[in-house]
Amino acid sequence: MCISWLLQLGLSRRQSLPISCSLTMANAIPPNNTRLLLMIDFDHTIIHDNSDLWIRRLLPEHKVPDEIQQSYKHHESWNQFMGEIFTHMHSLGVTPAQVVDCMHTMTFVPGMVELIEYQRTNAVMDCIVVSDSNSVFINTILDSKDLLSSVTSVFTNPAEFDSKGCLRLRPYHQHNCKTCPSNLCKGAVLRTYLEQQEKQGVTYSRIFLVGDGSNDFCPVPGLGVDDIVFPRQGYRLIRKIQKLLEKGEEQGEDTLKATVFPWDNGFRILEFLLKSTGDKC
């Protein structure tokens, strides 16, 4: 079966049944001592757009000054780039209230509010948001829909307004991954989270990973046979997964153990989770 057809059906290379059939056969509900983990990206996943680009609406003509653009070409650090933009915004008189109001105008991907609300009601599911945005943007947007308390943890670049009202940004962590941005490796975040949870006696029988972009790819090859990766249709993550699968076919290797289930709205993912956990709408 060709890779493009697998991706359309929502299958991994190891499967030969449509996903709706395989769900009825799987041991979807975890044992008493294990849980389910929903790991989800933020920009272009929970929300429609990119919060780092959306904030430019507060700049004159929505444009970043040339000197900041040129600076980025030299250091190539998106985190530093955004920090310079925030400093510039502050110099223009942009207030914290304006930043918050701007974030409140961002829209959610259809079905994502319902997805997050559902996982909160699922007694065996935890939800972590892992994003290269920042804590002010994510917390503000989630709180606008009363969703902040519905997620277990948010892993992102720490941000806060200083005493003068300028938004200050710091990298989430340092890591040794050669493929991820220097400030955040999602593969490392997931591994560390699982290790910390295991020390607390919590293990996960299935991981559901939802994302859209290249920086969501790092954890994907390490997922297990019971895990599901949900790449958004038309975005970079699904193309990287397709290349991984094609490489595996060429080499005769099983390069991806997890099931691939493309999505275009949150309701598709919610329907999958409802079936896989045996819950009802």
Side-chain angles (χ1 to χ4, degrees), residues 238-256:
I238 197 169
R239 293 194 289 271
K240 295 202 72 168
I241 291 174
Q242 185 165 353
K243 289 181 180 179
L244 180 68
L245 293 173
E246 290 171 350
K247 180 181 178 181
E249 283 198 336
E250 292 172 358
Q251 299 178 350
E253 298 177 355
D254 190 8
T255 53
L256 179 62

Side-chain angles (χ1 to χ4, degrees), residues 135-275:
S135 57
V136 168
F137 287 0
I138 294 176
N139 292 351
T140 297
I141 294 169
L142 290 179
D143 195 48
S144 71
K145 296 291 186 181
D146 294 324
L147 295 175
L148 188 55
S149 61
S150 297
V151 300
T152 307
S153 298
V154 175
F155 299 95
T156 188
N157 302 298
E160 60 184 358
F161 294 102
D162 66 17
S163 60
K164 296 181 179 180
C166 181
L167 186 57
R168 300 296 184 184
L169 182 65
R170 303 189 308 277
Y172 173 72
H173 64 180
Q174 295 180 331
H175 60 83
N176 298 319
C177 180
K178 298 184 182 301
T179 60
C180 288
S182 60
N183 56 289
L184 179 67
C185 171
K186 296 192 177 184
V189 169
L190 177 59
R191 289 192 299 272
T192 300
Y193 180 79
L194 294 177
E195 291 169 0
Q196 292 175 342
Q197 288 292 89
E198 187 172 7
K199 290 178 181 178
Q200 301 297 320
V202 178
T203 58
Y204 294 97
S205 61
R206 300 186 83 182
I207 298 172
F208 305 107
L209 191 154
V210 185
D212 70 282
S214 296
N215 66 345
D216 296 311
F217 179 77
C218 186
V220 171
L223 295 176
V225 295
D226 294 320
D227 301 329
I228 316 293
V229 55
F230 297 88
R232 190 174 185 181
Q233 293 175 350
Y235 287 75
R236 291 182 180 179
L237 177 58
I238 197 169
R239 293 194 289 271
K240 295 202 72 168
I241 291 174
Q242 185 165 353
K243 289 181 180 179
L244 180 68
L245 293 173
E246 290 171 350
K247 180 181 178 181
E249 283 198 336
E250 292 172 358
Q251 299 178 350
E253 298 177 355
D254 190 8
T255 53
L256 179 62
K257 296 181 176 64
T259 298
V260 178
F261 192 87
W263 64 279
D264 54 6
N265 65 73
F267 291 113
R268 283 266 292 162
I269 302 171
L270 177 58
E271 180 183 12
F272 182 102
L273 294 185
L274 288 170
K275 290 179 179 179

Side-chain angles (χ1 to χ4, degrees), residues 56 63-74 81:
R56 297 184 187 181
K63 292 183 179 179
V64 176
D66 289 340
E67 58 267 26
I68 297 180
Q69 297 277 19
Q70 291 301 318
S71 176
Y72 175 65
K73 291 180 181 179
H74 292 290
F81 178 61

Side-chain angles (χ1 to χ4, degrees), residues 11 32 34-35 47 62 111 124 130 132 141 156 211 213 237 241 277:
L11 302 175
N32 292 334
T34 64
R35 298 180 62 78
I47 56 174
H62 302 178
V124 297
V130 187
D132 203 8
I141 294 169
T156 188
L237 177 58
I241 291 174
T277 58

